[in-house]
Amino acid sequence: MRCEYKKTGTSVYVVLINWCGVEDTIACLRSLAVLDSALLKVIVCDNASTDDSWTKLTAYVESQAALEIQLIQTGANLGFAGGNNVGLRVALADPSMQFVWLLNNDTEVDQGALDALLSYMALNENVGICGSTLLYMDQKDLIQAVGGQFNSWLGTSKHILGHESYSPDLCRAVDPSSLDYVVGASMFVRRQVLEQVGLLEEDYFLYCEEIDWATRMKRKLPELKLGYAPDSLVYHKEGASTGANERQGKTYSYFSDYFFITSRLKFTRKFFPVQRWVVQLSMALVAVNRARRRQWRSMRVALCALVGWVPKGLDPRQSASRPV
């Protein structure tokens, strides 16, 4: 499969977003360096990190020769969608680009991950966005997700095979038609999606970007489907960017919870207006749950979401540069 794509003169772009996580980003780049460098072009977009990320990234890029890496300073913390879109625009300007692989910077890829994605997309030309098998970095025999499903009446999502023991046969038995979205930590996207569906929706900042993208693709290009390459293994550090990691006991981050509450409501309003009112009313239960946990700021966000308006003063980006 590698030779086939080399002969056609196509490129695969990898887009990474860095925000105060340079050590994770460099580890991800090192895992990419063992892949086919003749095929890959890597773009690292730094979302105005407040630490020494830019200096370290520049030094790393200058010291290595295995990958073609372009560093871009976005100038502001644009969030997941905004930061990725900067890289996607650069990738689109290259006519040789056929696929873009969006990876979280806190991931590391298996040596066969790219080949598995390319093989799957070659065999399934009706797939627009393809996912990988996400495994926990600190427990590589445990599945984080292979895709997700969305409950439009509750505005909640569920990772398929989440916390199951990894088995190749188990993963190969997954029916991709059951997916509502591909998890954003590893999304392999066909050029056609970028050109005809558009880029990621930047209104979310965090959460729901991938299901928004998948839903827009399904509605605008119903001939395209979501796919899943079970043999594409990607190892993911849970909560490195959001500050919440349930398996390590870090169950709460206001930064993360704020966007968890507000993004699901935005998505439901946009695509499921009938269910919007049910989801909005469910915020009363969310508020009670946050109060029970003494998470008072999140309780206020949920109460505001209940009435359909969340003031900007509750947005954690207004008062903090890091997840809190």
Side-chain angles (χ1 to χ4, degrees), residues 47-76:
N47 264 349
S49 294
T50 55
D51 59 5
D52 58 354
S53 284
W54 186 256
T55 301
K56 289 184 176 180
L57 283 171
T58 301
Y60 174 76
V61 171
E62 291 176 348
S63 69
Q64 67 84 44
L67 289 172
E68 178 182 336
I69 303 174
Q70 180 177 356
L71 296 180
I72 299 175
Q73 177 54 251
T74 67

